[in-house]
Amino acid sequence: MVLSVSGFPHSSSHPSIRFVPASLPQERTFIYPFFTRGRPFPLQLLFFGTLFCIYNGFLQGYYLIYCAEYPTDWCTDIRFTSGLLLFLLGMGINIHSDLLLRQLRKPGEVTYKIPQGGLFTYVSGANYFGEIVEWFGFAIATWSLPAFTFAFFTLCCIGPRAYHHHRSKVSSQSHDTTRGHLWA
């Protein structure tokens, strides 16, 4: 994550805060696919993930650098501090959940296993939940329409995946260990 405070290129009287979450998209696109075990990760997904990260990063960065204006005390604003905390919490959940998911299978193993531990104790899709929390934290910290739009579409895309993942997890088990779990 990169956080910098500087003046706008077009106005030196209005400081800007550029809050660019560079670490997670890079982790999700370039690192995660190479550490997954089981089936090989399709190069087409890696390619499209890279394109999406470049496009989304450009849109978010352009808005924050050239369009957004923040007051000089924005770093102490409750929106920024609570959003930053939510972002960091979501990022921690996401990275820890991905670590648990990667450790489920031995190299070459392709069978599905149900993750245990961490937030998987309470939420079927802890990695999805972490990503949703992360991007809503980013949206709150930047208080920008593009960031809220991205967070909303992340919820719309990942939410149904998490719900269907939870339903298939519950139906595939013969015992009822997932009752009471949330689906996000």
Side-chain angles (χ1 to χ4, degrees):
M1 172 173 32
V2 176
L3 174 65
S4 69
V5 180
S6 65
F8 274 98
H10 59 276
S11 170
S12 61
S13 63
H14 293 85
S16 71
I17 298 174
R18 292 179 207 129
F19 178 75
V20 183
S23 58
L24 184 81
Q26 291 174 1
E27 189 267 338
R28 176 69 65 199
T29 303
F30 300 112
I31 297 170
Y32 181 77
F34 295 108
F35 286 105
T36 57
R37 296 177 180 165
R39 295 184 185 104
F41 196 86
L43 286 178
Q44 182 180 14
L45 287 179
L46 180 66
F47 175 73
F48 285 119
T50 302
L51 283 179
F52 174 78
C53 286
I54 290 169
Y55 181 69
N56 184 50
F58 171 76
L59 290 177
Q60 298 293 336
Y62 184 87
Y63 179 83
L64 292 174
I65 292 169
Y66 296 108
C67 303
E69 293 190 19
Y70 297 99
T72 55
D73 61 345
W74 183 251
C75 286
T76 59
D77 190 284
I78 189 71
R79 293 171 290 183
F80 177 77
T81 53
S82 62
L84 180 61
L85 290 174
L86 262 179
F87 176 82
L88 293 173
L89 175 69
M91 188 164 113
I93 291 169
N94 199 355
I95 290 172
H96 182 258
S97 300
D98 283 348
L99 176 68
L100 292 176
L101 288 171
R102 284 194 305 265
Q103 293 175 346
L104 282 177
R105 298 180 183 147
K106 294 176 182 155
E109 199 175 30
V110 294
T111 57
Y112 176 76
K113 293 184 178 179
I114 297 173
Q116 303 293 324
L119 272 184
F120 285 108
T121 306
Y122 308 104
V123 181
S124 292
N127 52 331
Y128 298 137
F129 175 73
E131 193 156 341
I132 291 168
V133 168
E134 181 177 4
W135 292 118
F136 272 98
F138 174 71
I140 292 168
T142 60
W143 208 251
S144 70
L145 181 61
F148 276 106
T149 303
F150 180 68
F152 176 73
F153 282 109
T154 298
L155 177 65
C156 290
C157 291
I158 293 178
R161 283 176 52 193
Y163 174 72
H164 291 294
H165 178 77
H166 176 75
R167 281 185 45 202
S168 67
K169 180 178 173 179
V170 169
S171 67
S172 70
Q173 291 183 325
S174 58
H175 51 84
D176 198 14
T177 60
T178 59
R179 185 158 311 280
H181 278 207
L182 298 175
W183 52 267

